[in-house]
Amino acid sequence: MRILQISSSSFGGRFFNFQALSLSRSPLCFKSASSMASFSEDSLRRALAEKQSAVESQGNSVRALKAAGASKHDVDAAIEALNALKLQKASIERNLQAAVSGAGDGSAVTKEAFRQAVVNTLERRLFYIPSFKIYRGVAGLYDYGPPGCSVKSNVLAFWRQHFVLEENMLEVDCPCVTPEIVLKASGHVDKFTDLMVKDEKTGTCFRADHLLKDFCNDKLQKDLAISAEKAAELRHILATLDDLSSEELGAKIREYGITAPDTKNPLSDPYPFNLMFATSIGPSGLSPGYLRPETAQGIFVNFKDLYYYNGNKLPFAAAQIGQAFRNEISPRQGLLRVREFTLAEIEHFVDPEDKSHPKFSEVANLKFLMFPREEQMSGQSAKIIRLGEAVAQGTVNNETLGYFIGRVYLFLARLGIDEKRLRFRQHLANEMAHYAADCWDAEIESSYGWIECVGIADRSAYDLRAHTDKSGIALVAAEKFSEPREVEKLVITPVKKELGLAFKGSQKNVVEALEAMKEEEAWQMKDNLETKGEVEFYVCTLSKAVTIKKSMVTITKEKKKEHQRVFTPSVIEPSFGIGRIIYCLYEHSYYMRPSKAGDEQLNVFRFPPLVAPIKCTVFPLVQNEQYEKVAKDISKSLTAAGISHKIDITGTSIGKRYARTDELGVPFAITVDSTTSVTIRERDSKDQIRVNVGEAATTVKEVTEGIRTWEDVWSSFPHHSSASADD
Amino acid sequence: MRILQISSSSFGGRFFNFQALSLSRSPLCFKSASSMASFSEDSLRRALAEKQSAVESQGNSVRALKAAGASKHDVDAAIEALNALKLQKASIERNLQAAVSGAGDGSAVTKEAFRQAVVNTLERRLFYIPSFKIYRGVAGLYDYGPPGCSVKSNVLAFWRQHFVLEENMLEVDCPCVTPEIVLKASGHVDKFTDLMVKDEKTGTCFRADHLLKDFCNDKLQKDLAISAEKAAELRHILATLDDLSSEELGAKIREYGITAPDTKNPLSDPYPFNLMFATSIGPSGLSPGYLRPETAQGIFVNFKDLYYYNGNKLPFAAAQIGQAFRNEISPRQGLLRVREFTLAEIEHFVDPEDKSHPKFSEVANLKFLMFPREEQMSGQSAKIIRLGEAVAQGTVNNETLGYFIGRVYLFLARLGIDEKRLRFRQHLANEMAHYAADCWDAEIESSYGWIECVGIADRSAYDLRAHTDKSGIALVAAEKFSEPREVEKLVITPVKKELGLAFKGSQKNVVEALEAMKEEEAWQMKDNLETKGEVEFYVCTLSKAVTIKKSMVTITKEKKKEHQRVFTPSVIEPSFGIGRIIYCLYEHSYYMRPSKAGDEQLNVFRFPPLVAPIKCTVFPLVQNEQYEKVAKDISKSLTAAGISHKIDITGTSIGKRYARTDELGVPFAITVDSTTSVTIRERDSKDQIRVNVGEAATTVKEVTEGIRTWEDVWSSFPHHSSASADD
């Protein structure tokens, strides 16, 4: 029986970081980044402390002069000097304040305001709705309203096209309700926890690390009087928050006298809270189950069938889109940290001895922001690297991992994620699970900072081995040799009689330990026995070393013919947090522009047609039976062409109607202003072309589906300019 | 505060019957159907009983003759007569056996065998997989494997196209985790139960009605000796099983001495078990939640926002696709009764005073099998009715309900459901919830019988009212009048002083009861008070009548100007059990045909291209670099055209490759047998055409997407016939 060697933090190196903000996931990265920033902050704190003592000593001088009845001239001069010092101190304070609040140019405030503007638009237009709002909602649960639901279904359809269809993946669809044994095997039952503290009087629960983090941030930002040393200590805590044990967290909370927010009551010691929603399967109450925290396990448990389905051939990939659940202690950060979310996960199974990818050349020349481990450690920032180079130089562990990084990049770029705010960050050694070969996160910059949206990990054989061990079903692959191969095999034969005499009741433990020796260890023992006749040997299950004599074991090599190689495949796992990608897409797509009259700011989402919730609107310019008939005919053609659209025959001004749909990110509007031809308006340029009624639907279909570009269409049709059109 | 008047059985009249087989849902229907069938069964039982006594009496005669030393001739003649009677009895027994086992022509056996053949193919080709199989699975949980997942995603995409897009519905996407208060309001917390009994020694749980049903069926089918009266009693129980209370079920179980299956231990009394999966939201343990048993509630609680989104206009429809959960006591019937399933639900909100539908004329001329209430009650069978007629004659309550029945019919027919095995059955009065206006189920015939796959109900204002009451948020719509309307309003003014003197402590109850009178009741009281001076008045909250005198209340009419009419919309709810539809589709699409050599039966699914998991395969006829290149080029064109396909370059015989993909229901196969032209084969006819390499992908795209029919393509291209092609 193998021991699960997952610590809470290395476990977090898995997908679960999706639910955590990057800030808390990549300590060293942020540590180095913040130590860059804190260079000036530290000197400012020192300067402030110096200035403060200068002010105090000058104050003393003034008082002394006055007491001594010095001349008005001398006293005034001293006061003037004091005021000058106070002004200098105030200036340093302002600079320090700016430095600690993140940017120094007030961009933190701007980010907040920007986010508020986006979120207001999203909520008002029902992109999302806090779930069960009429019952005052539930923290961390959100509905997708009509346009949000469309965006999500467009993103998922494209995901299916880009990954499943294009790569011939085997898609599966497994239940959310999962029996305990599966999640016991995966390690979730034991290790998928956050540390929690309770208000000792009211029982309210908090995440221990959040309270400590809030305390440190608060102190750093609001208490300008703390010393540079103290500030460094707090920053160090922030940087290593994820590595703190339950005891260390508790000690810090006690040391700083942190109490419950609001009530200020004392807090309990931190203790682990499992983040899975628990339930019971069937009526007996004897079959515990959980809502799956990820979709991946459903794929792993089906490995054997899927491998068979694929003709017993590697490599192949399986994929799953579905809901996952995480019972957050106290969800914060809106749509980025939720209790139920949609994941899209791929498990690409490969021979660990061959991780090349036949289509790697197709992505090798892509260039984008990468942030390798070394750059993070040395305090540099992300830089543009050619993917082929990153793989060739070993920065990215292997071609298959590299291939998926490239495909993820293409996927996000096609959705409309701003490439300048997208980077691939490599996990640091202490972030990765011990079994992982390499791990990269696609991080997208939003008003909350850099958000992990896709994790791309080479998890080696860990998951399949875990389920093999627990279920007793071998989840392995085989490579058949074209002709049998002769191999040398290590044979360890414990001499039970001798061992029995020497160790009596412990004989079994010693025998097992001897048989479990790895090749290298065994050869070393053989050497030692031959040269020294005996050797000290540590028996794990006895927790002590015993003396093994030459007579107690024989270690030899045997030649055997093998017809195949049986092995546990490695798995490369790109795992997509769909809700996070969509939220970042909203931020990247949103902008404001003045109305034509210049009296108000209008909201626009610049979604590419692929993503836009509705592709086109149809507006009769004025309320008029003939125009309405034309509009309805065009609407029918659009429906037949499978183009989602909306027809608006209200008498609202055309400018208002454009503004309303710009706010939904609708890329094209057809306006009916005659019975023979209509105009088509493009959202961002506001340019309009004139086309015949019969061509309208086809033209919109072509630009929507990317068959033609707007530029192309723009140069093929007469342009329309109407002073009144855009109100 | 209104009282929820849902009884367990009327509650069942809602969507939940999706999870129940029709057999247990439509008692009278099956009662009448079975009474048709049982006519011959009853006479057979009577004939058997008569024959049995004839055999006995003839046996006595034989014995008497022997005892009396009668002549051999006489004895032999009597024995011959006895044997003839025995033969007749055996023949009646055989007929009775056939009658009770369902069909009399052995079709029950055939159905079993057919189902086994379908299910074997489905499991072997991974259309579905019992979930968590390597851990021995969990009853009622299934995975969709690769082809099943494709079929499901095709069905859902078409659903979205056919309903959401074509009807401009507002799609939403709400969480599965639902707080208790929502499901308390909907009635699920109190009433969504099944009756359960426990093995008193082992604690194993069973559904009480299942045990009683099994007992009755068993007795009817295996015990041919029971009287016609007893048989009628058992059949009556089967027909009314759903109407039995906990006490009645318990009494029957005791009366028949039913014990636990396998152990034969005594059973507990029946008690209700709530079928929702329970969980706890957040870490406190103080916020109970459930996995939603349907998706509809997520729509209802969002009514206000959605109505606003729709410009405060009725009618409009909201739709949701998502997982729903039901913690079955002991799931049976494979894919038809599962613990987690995908629902697609529509809530179409209308003004209760105007349920017309502008597009009804588009479906009015559709004709299909309908099974109205009256036909069921009078023991007739379903018949083909024109939808327009059904609505005009009031068989279907209103146009909007009728419109959706028509749209559901078109949806199922396009998927490939056999129209002869699809019927729309109206709910009987005792099946419907008391608030429902009308209710029709789309039932599909499968090897399990007629299965309810879509429920289409006019639920009036029930759901919105329930959430209005519980949340205190008015979920209403308003019709603005073009000009104010003068209305007469009833005004009831209790004279509190007089009432106080007369009723003292009970005054409040009397006042409330007076104010709550409905219009008619109030006018009647006014009349009575004027003629008789006093009247007896029942006060519900006092559980008694009191005497109201003329001086205690004034009842008048007042004229008021109203600018709008505020009302709770009615909701018409088509609700689709996606998994059930898919399973029935599998059965309707499956057939077997002999291989060319005639030595084996090959499985085929005749999925329409819309549904087929893969649209096309590409096969080089022989292993050859040039052919493989052509195949790969065609594959690329297919990918670009968005046609899901598979390329198979193994050296397997072309016949075997066809057979493998016929079994997956792949409609077209491109075979590369030259570098300039290829053949395209249609699955069901096995016909092949020859097309140029460059045209292959386009041609497949056109027939797949329904732009051209196969017949059309067949007449436009040269035909290919190769004796060797099809093995």
Side-chain angles (χ1 to χ4, degrees):
Chain A
M1 173 67 196
R2 296 166 66 258
I3 308 290
L4 282 175
Q5 293 177 306
I6 351 178
S7 77
S8 172
S9 73
S10 67
F11 198 58
R14 181 104 208 265
F15 179 75
F16 319 110
N17 15 7
F18 256 157
Q19 283 294 308
L21 284 181
S22 299
L23 188 59
S24 64
R25 291 303 321 151
S26 48
L28 284 186
C29 155
F30 274 80
K31 195 178 174 185
S32 47
S34 69
S35 61
M36 293 292 286
S38 65
F39 177 75
S40 62
E41 191 190 318
D42 275 358
S43 46
L44 284 168
R45 281 194 199 275
R46 286 205 187 85
L48 184 65
E50 281 166 24
K51 208 53 80 181
Q52 176 62 27
S53 36
V55 167
E56 279 163 20
S57 96
Q58 186 64 17
N60 290 340
S61 304
V62 171
R63 275 186 294 278
L65 286 172
K66 282 180 177 171
S71 71
K72 184 172 184 294
H73 175 268
D74 284 357
V75 171
D76 282 355
I79 289 176
E80 201 173 318
L82 176 61
N83 287 342
L85 283 170
K86 281 183 177 168
L87 279 174
Q88 288 163 16
K89 184 191 154 206
S91 158
I92 297 173
E93 273 176 342
R94 275 196 305 279
N95 289 337
L96 178 56
Q97 186 66 62
V100 295
S101 57
D105 55 357
S107 80
V109 181
T110 320
K111 276 182 189 171
E112 267 294 332
F114 172 80
R115 184 194 306 151
Q116 212 45 58
V118 180
V119 163
N120 283 348
T121 311
L122 291 173
E123 277 209 48
R124 188 162 41 74
R125 300 311 303 269
L126 298 199
F127 278 87
Y128 75 92
I129 309 164
S131 300
F132 317 111
K133 207 167 104 177
I134 62 170
Y135 293 105
R136 281 183 284 161
V138 175
L141 293 180
Y142 295 92
D143 299 343
Y144 287 82
C149 205
S150 277
V151 168
K152 183 180 170 187
S153 112
N154 292 339
V155 168
L156 291 178
F158 178 54
W159 192 88
R160 225 175 227 128
Q161 167 70 32
H162 186 80
F163 291 105
V164 180
L165 193 59
E166 198 128 343
E167 310 283 346
N168 256 307
M169 292 177 180
L170 307 182
E171 193 177 348
V172 298
D173 182 3
C174 309
C176 300
V177 172
T178 305
E180 185 170 57
I181 192 167
V182 174
L183 296 160
K184 191 90 188 164
S186 69
H188 288 86
V189 171
D190 295 325
K191 300 287 184 184
F192 189 51
T193 56
D194 271 347
L195 290 169
M196 180 160 91
V197 289
K198 266 196 182 175
D199 181 320
E200 286 200 335
K201 287 187 182 152
T202 67
T204 312
C205 303
F206 305 95
R207 258 183 71 167
D209 59 343
H210 280 180
L211 293 190
L212 182 56
K213 183 171 140 191
D214 290 350
F215 173 85
C216 294
N217 278 329
D218 228 54
K219 203 82 186 158
L220 282 168
Q221 280 167 32
K222 295 189 186 149
D223 188 350
L224 300 181
I226 55 169
S227 68
E229 290 66 33
K230 185 75 185 174
E233 179 191 321
L234 295 174
R235 279 200 304 275
H236 178 73
I237 290 174
L238 285 175
T240 54
L241 209 55
D242 273 11
D243 295 335
L244 296 185
S245 67
S246 173
E247 291 69 30
E248 288 165 333
L249 259 175
K252 282 290 163 205
I253 286 173
R254 278 190 302 275
E255 180 187 337
Y256 295 146
I258 300 174
T259 55
D262 303 331
T263 66
K264 305 296 164 207
N265 290 331
L267 293 167
S268 72
D269 281 336
Y271 60 97
F273 171 72
N274 193 299
L275 296 173
M276 290 193 293
F277 283 99
T279 191
S280 186
I281 305 174
S284 70
L286 301 173
S287 305
Y290 299 92
L291 300 187
R292 60 181 175 192
E294 57 174 21
T295 67
Q297 302 307 322
I299 297 177
F300 295 133
V301 299
N302 279 323
F303 172 79
K304 222 181 145 199
D305 277 342
L306 294 170
Y307 178 60
Y308 171 77
Y309 187 81
N310 200 52
N312 290 334
K313 282 199 183 63
L314 284 187
F316 74 91
Q320 180 165 201
I321 298 172
Q323 294 301 90
F325 303 82
R326 179 168 164 147
N327 196 9
E328 289 287 346
I329 293 171
S330 49
R332 315 200 281 190
Q333 284 139 342
L335 293 171
L336 293 179
R337 186 181 289 272
V338 291
R339 284 179 164 147
E340 181 172 340
F341 45 98
T342 301
L343 287 185
E345 297 192 285
I346 296 166
E347 308 297 330
H348 181 92
F349 298 100
V350 288
D351 184 337
E353 293 182 8
D354 178 12
K355 293 183 180 174
S356 64
H357 196 289
K359 285 160 78 182
F360 182 72
S361 62
E362 292 178 18
V363 296
N365 283 322
L366 293 175
K367 286 178 183 176
F368 43 79
L369 277 177
M370 296 187 86
F371 202 6
R373 202 172 289 151
E374 292 208 350
E375 274 70 7
Q376 298 171 50
M377 301 294 285
S378 59
Q380 298 171 58
S381 49
K383 59 185 181 188
I384 290 180
I385 302 181
R386 198 176 63 85
L387 185 54
E389 222 170 86
V391 171
Q393 295 180 350
T395 312
V396 171
N397 182 280
N398 59 71
E399 265 192 8
T400 299
L401 191 63
Y403 179 72
F404 279 110
I405 290 175
R407 293 292 295 169
V408 168
Y409 163 79
L410 290 173
F411 173 74
L412 294 172
R414 279 284 303 278
L415 287 184
I417 291 295
D418 178 359
E419 299 180 29
K420 292 187 286 299
R421 301 169 70 193
L422 165 63
R423 72 181 184 194
F424 287 81
R425 191 182 67 76
Q426 188 172 31
H427 277 209
L428 298 173
N430 70 337
E431 279 180 277
M432 283 205 304
H434 65 95
Y435 46 78
D438 194 6
C439 202
W440 291 76
D441 289 342
E443 295 184 336
I444 305 178
E445 199 188 19
S446 79
S447 64
Y448 290 103
W450 287 95
I451 305 300
E452 179 200 350
C453 291
V454 187
I456 310 149
D458 182 336
R459 298 177 51 73
S460 75
Y462 178 75
D463 308 281
L464 292 181
R465 287 223 178 102
H467 287 295
T468 298
D469 287 348
K470 191 81 178 175
S471 70
I473 307 282
L475 304 178
V476 293
E479 182 203 1
K480 292 221 161 38
F481 300 141
S482 46
E483 48 191 65
R485 290 185 194 169
E486 193 156 88
V487 287
E488 281 197 333
K489 280 243 158 182
L490 170 76
V491 181
I492 300 169
T493 318
V495 182
K496 291 193 181 162
K497 195 182 148 195
E498 294 285 325
L499 290 163
L501 283 171
F503 303 115
K504 305 204 169 69
S506 314
Q507 178 202 355
K508 192 163 160 274
N509 306 56
V510 178
V511 166
E512 281 174 359
L514 285 171
E515 284 174 341
M517 277 191 295
K518 290 197 178 149
E519 184 134 9
E520 206 179 330
E521 197 186 351
W523 293 135
Q524 207 168 350
M525 179 179 280
K526 188 181 168 77
D527 276 356
N528 286 337
L529 289 177
E530 272 163 18
T531 51
K532 301 178 197 160
E534 65 176 49
V535 64
E536 288 297 283
F537 177 63
Y538 185 78
V539 179
C540 183
T541 51
L542 295 176
S543 301
K544 65 171 185 184
V546 299
T547 306
I548 299 291
K549 296 196 177 138
K550 206 176 164 184
S551 58
M552 295 178 181
V553 62
T554 62
I555 297 169
T556 53
K557 261 183 194 166
E558 268 181 25
K559 286 193 179 177
K560 275 181 93 177
K561 277 207 173 175
E562 287 197 338
H563 298 265
Q564 61 176 8
R565 180 174 67 93
V566 175
F567 58 93
T568 304
S570 280
V571 65
I572 290 168
E573 177 189 80
S575 177
F576 299 69
I578 297 298
R580 289 190 157 195
I581 293 172
I582 290 174
Y583 177 76
C584 292
L585 188 58
Y586 289 152
E587 282 204 2
H588 287 205
S589 303
Y590 176 84
Y591 65 98
M592 284 192 289
R593 62 184 174 198
S595 65
K596 200 155 196 184
D599 55 348
E600 55 177 332
Q601 288 288 312
L602 303 175
N603 306 303
V604 189
F605 284 107
R606 65 165 84 76
F607 299 132
L610 179 73
V611 165
I614 297 165
K615 311 303 179 198
C616 181
T617 46
V618 188
F619 300 140
L621 183 62
V622 291
Q623 278 184 312
N624 157 331
E625 224 169 84
Q626 282 177 309
Y627 289 3
E628 277 180 27
K629 195 193 162 303
V630 173
K632 282 182 184 166
D633 287 347
I634 292 175
S635 165
K636 267 196 187 164
S637 310
L638 288 169
T639 300
I643 301 295
S644 72
H645 64 284
K646 238 188 144 153
I647 179 164
D648 181 350
I649 54 170
T650 60
T652 319
S653 82
I654 193 74
K656 279 220 175 102
R657 282 185 277 174
Y658 285 151
R660 263 189 214 157
T661 54
D662 288 347
E663 211 173 44
L664 288 177
V666 183
F668 303 106
I670 298 174
T671 301
V672 181
D673 58 358
S674 96
T675 55
T676 52
S677 76
V678 297
T679 71
I680 302 178
R681 170 192 183 260
E682 193 275 333
R683 175 193 60 213
D684 298 300
S685 63
K686 298 196 263 181
D687 286 338
Q688 293 185 58
I689 55 167
R690 178 160 292 284
V691 302
N692 292 330
V693 167
E695 286 174 293
T698 328
T699 309
V700 168
K701 184 185 167 73
E702 285 174 351
V703 282
T704 297
E705 296 186 346
I707 298 164
R708 299 177 76 175
T709 63
W710 176 254
E711 290 64 37
D712 179 25
V713 169
W714 178 245
S715 65
S716 325
F717 288 95
H719 300 175
H720 172 83
S721 72
S722 157
S724 69
D726 218 308
D727 214 15
Chain B
M1 173 66 198
R2 300 166 63 259
I3 308 290
L4 281 176
Q5 292 177 306
I6 352 177
S7 76
S8 170
S9 74
S10 67
F11 198 59
R14 181 105 207 266
F15 178 76
F16 317 111
N17 17 8
F18 256 159
Q19 282 296 309
L21 282 182
S22 299
L23 188 58
S24 63
R25 293 299 324 149
S26 49
L28 284 186
C29 153
F30 273 80
K31 196 177 171 186
S32 48
S34 69
S35 60
M36 293 291 286
S38 63
F39 176 76
S40 62
E41 191 189 318
D42 274 357
S43 46
L44 285 168
R45 280 193 200 277
R46 286 205 188 86
L48 185 63
E50 283 165 23
K51 206 58 77 184
Q52 177 61 28
S53 36
V55 167
E56 279 163 18
S57 94
Q58 185 66 19
N60 290 340
S61 305
V62 171
R63 274 187 293 278
L65 286 172
K66 284 182 176 169
S71 71
K72 185 171 183 293
H73 177 266
D74 284 356
V75 171
D76 283 355
I79 288 176
E80 199 172 321
L82 176 62
N83 287 341
L85 282 171
K86 281 183 176 170
L87 277 175
Q88 286 162 18
K89 185 190 153 206
S91 159
I92 297 172
E93 273 176 344
R94 273 197 306 280
N95 288 337
L96 179 57
Q97 186 67 61
V100 296
S101 58
D105 56 355
S107 80
V109 181
T110 320
K111 276 182 191 170
E112 268 294 333
F114 173 79
R115 184 195 305 149
Q116 213 45 58
V118 180
V119 162
N120 283 349
T121 311
L122 291 173
E123 279 209 49
R124 189 163 39 77
R125 299 311 303 268
L126 297 198
F127 278 87
Y128 76 91
I129 309 163
S131 300
F132 316 113
K133 208 167 103 176
I134 61 170
Y135 292 105
R136 280 184 285 161
V138 175
L141 294 180
Y142 295 92
D143 300 342
Y144 287 83
C149 205
S150 277
V151 167
K152 182 179 172 189
S153 114
N154 292 338
V155 168
L156 291 178
F158 178 55
W159 192 88
R160 223 173 230 130
Q161 166 71 31
H162 186 80
F163 292 105
V164 180
L165 192 59
E166 198 129 343
E167 310 282 346
N168 256 305
M169 292 176 180
L170 307 182
E171 192 177 349
V172 298
D173 182 3
C174 309
C176 301
V177 173
T178 305
E180 184 171 54
I181 191 168
V182 174
L183 296 160
K184 191 91 189 167
S186 69
H188 288 86
V189 171
D190 296 323
K191 302 284 183 187
F192 190 52
T193 55
D194 271 347
L195 291 169
M196 180 160 91
V197 288
K198 265 195 183 175
D199 181 318
E200 286 198 336
K201 288 189 184 152
T202 66
T204 311
C205 304
F206 305 94
R207 259 183 70 167
D209 59 343
H210 279 180
L211 293 191
L212 182 55
K213 184 170 138 192
D214 290 349
F215 174 85
C216 295
N217 278 329
D218 227 54
K219 203 83 186 159
L220 281 167
Q221 280 167 33
K222 297 191 183 146
D223 189 350
L224 300 181
I226 56 170
S227 68
E229 290 66 33
K230 187 74 185 172
E233 179 191 318
L234 296 174
R235 278 199 305 275
H236 179 74
I237 290 175
L238 284 175
T240 55
L241 207 55
D242 273 11
D243 294 336
L244 296 184
S245 68
S246 173
E247 291 70 30
E248 289 166 332
L249 259 176
K252 283 290 164 205
I253 287 173
R254 278 191 301 274
E255 180 186 336
Y256 295 147
I258 300 175
T259 53
D262 303 331
T263 66
K264 303 297 164 206
N265 289 332
L267 293 167
S268 74
D269 281 335
Y271 60 98
F273 171 72
N274 194 298
L275 296 174
M276 291 193 292
F277 282 99
T279 190
S280 186
I281 305 175
S284 70
L286 301 173
S287 304
Y290 298 93
L291 300 188
R292 62 181 176 192
E294 57 175 21
T295 68
Q297 302 307 323
I299 297 177
F300 296 134
V301 298
N302 279 324
F303 172 78
K304 223 180 144 199
D305 278 342
L306 294 170
Y307 179 59
Y308 171 77
Y309 187 83
N310 200 52
N312 290 335
K313 282 197 185 65
L314 284 185
F316 74 90
Q320 180 165 202
I321 297 172
Q323 293 303 89
F325 303 82
R326 180 169 165 147
N327 196 9
E328 290 286 346
I329 293 171
S330 49
R332 315 201 279 188
Q333 282 137 343
L335 292 171
L336 292 179
R337 185 180 289 272
V338 292
R339 285 180 163 145
E340 180 172 340
F341 46 98
T342 300
L343 287 185
E345 297 192 285
I346 296 167
E347 309 297 329
H348 181 91
F349 298 101
V350 289
D351 184 338
E353 293 181 8
D354 178 13
K355 293 182 179 174
S356 65
H357 197 288
K359 285 161 76 182
F360 181 70
S361 62
E362 291 178 18
V363 297
N365 284 322
L366 293 175
K367 286 178 182 176
F368 43 80
L369 275 178
M370 296 187 86
F371 201 7
R373 201 172 289 150
E374 293 208 350
E375 274 71 6
Q376 297 172 50
M377 302 291 288
S378 59
Q380 298 171 58
S381 51
K383 58 186 182 188
I384 289 180
I385 302 181
R386 197 178 63 86
L387 184 54
E389 221 170 86
V391 171
Q393 296 181 348
T395 311
V396 171
N397 183 280
N398 58 71
E399 265 192 7
T400 300
L401 191 63
Y403 180 71
F404 279 110
I405 290 175
R407 293 291 295 169
V408 169
Y409 163 79
L410 289 173
F411 173 74
L412 295 173
R414 278 283 305 279
L415 287 184
I417 292 294
D418 178 359
E419 301 181 29
K420 292 187 286 298
R421 300 169 70 194
L422 165 64
R423 72 181 183 194
F424 287 82
R425 191 182 68 76
Q426 188 172 30
H427 277 208
L428 298 172
N430 70 338
E431 276 181 278
M432 283 204 303
H434 65 96
Y435 45 79
D438 194 6
C439 203
W440 291 76
D441 289 341
E443 295 184 337
I444 305 177
E445 200 188 19
S446 79
S447 65
Y448 289 103
W450 286 95
I451 305 301
E452 179 200 351
C453 290
V454 187
I456 310 150
D458 182 338
R459 299 177 50 74
S460 74
Y462 177 75
D463 308 280
L464 292 182
R465 287 221 179 102
H467 286 294
T468 298
D469 287 350
K470 191 82 179 175
S471 69
I473 307 281
L475 304 179
V476 294
E479 181 202 3
K480 293 221 160 37
F481 300 142
S482 47
E483 48 191 65
R485 289 183 195 172
E486 195 157 85
V487 287
E488 282 196 332
K489 279 246 159 178
L490 170 75
V491 180
I492 300 169
T493 318
V495 181
K496 291 194 181 164
K497 198 181 143 196
E498 294 284 327
L499 290 164
L501 283 171
F503 303 114
K504 306 208 166 65
S506 313
Q507 178 203 354
K508 192 163 161 273
N509 304 59
V510 179
V511 167
E512 283 175 358
L514 286 170
E515 286 175 341
M517 277 190 296
K518 289 200 177 149
E519 185 135 8
E520 207 181 328
E521 198 185 353
W523 294 136
Q524 206 169 352
M525 177 179 278
K526 188 181 167 77
D527 277 355
N528 286 338
L529 289 177
E530 272 160 20
T531 51
K532 301 177 196 158
E534 64 174 50
V535 64
E536 288 298 282
F537 176 63
Y538 185 78
V539 180
C540 181
T541 52
L542 296 175
S543 299
K544 66 170 184 183
V546 298
T547 305
I548 299 292
K549 297 197 176 134
K550 207 179 166 180
S551 58
M552 292 177 182
V553 62
T554 62
I555 295 168
T556 55
K557 260 184 193 166
E558 268 181 29
K559 286 192 176 174
K560 276 182 94 174
K561 280 206 170 174
E562 287 197 339
H563 298 264
Q564 62 174 9
R565 181 173 68 92
V566 175
F567 58 92
T568 304
S570 280
V571 64
I572 290 166
E573 178 189 81
S575 178
F576 300 69
I578 297 299
R580 287 190 159 195
I581 294 172
I582 291 174
Y583 177 75
C584 291
L585 188 59
Y586 288 153
E587 281 205 2
H588 288 203
S589 304
Y590 176 85
Y591 66 96
M592 285 191 291
R593 61 183 175 199
S595 63
K596 201 156 192 184
D599 54 349
E600 54 177 333
Q601 288 288 313
L602 303 174
N603 305 304
V604 189
F605 284 106
R606 65 165 83 75
F607 299 131
L610 178 74
V611 166
I614 297 163
K615 312 303 178 198
C616 179
T617 44
V618 188
F619 300 141
L621 184 62
V622 290
Q623 278 183 312
N624 154 334
E625 224 169 84
Q626 281 178 308
Y627 289 3
E628 279 181 24
K629 195 193 163 304
V630 173
K632 281 181 183 166
D633 287 346
I634 292 174
S635 164
K636 268 195 186 165
S637 311
L638 287 169
T639 299
I643 301 296
S644 72
H645 64 282
K646 237 188 144 154
I647 179 164
D648 180 350
I649 54 172
T650 60
T652 319
S653 82
I654 193 73
K656 279 221 173 100
R657 282 185 278 174
Y658 286 150
R660 262 189 215 159
T661 55
D662 289 346
E663 209 173 46
L664 289 176
V666 182
F668 304 105
I670 298 174
T671 302
V672 181
D673 57 358
S674 95
T675 54
T676 52
S677 75
V678 298
T679 71
I680 303 179
R681 169 193 185 259
E682 194 275 333
R683 176 195 58 213
D684 298 301
S685 62
K686 299 195 262 180
D687 285 340
Q688 293 186 59
I689 56 167
R690 178 160 292 283
V691 301
N692 292 330
V693 167
E695 286 174 292
T698 329
T699 308
V700 168
K701 184 184 167 73
E702 286 173 350
V703 283
T704 297
E705 296 186 347
I707 299 164
R708 299 177 76 174
T709 62
W710 176 255
E711 288 66 35
D712 179 23
V713 169
W714 177 245
S715 65
S716 325
F717 287 94
H719 302 175
H720 172 84
S721 72
S722 157
S724 69
D726 218 306
D727 206 15

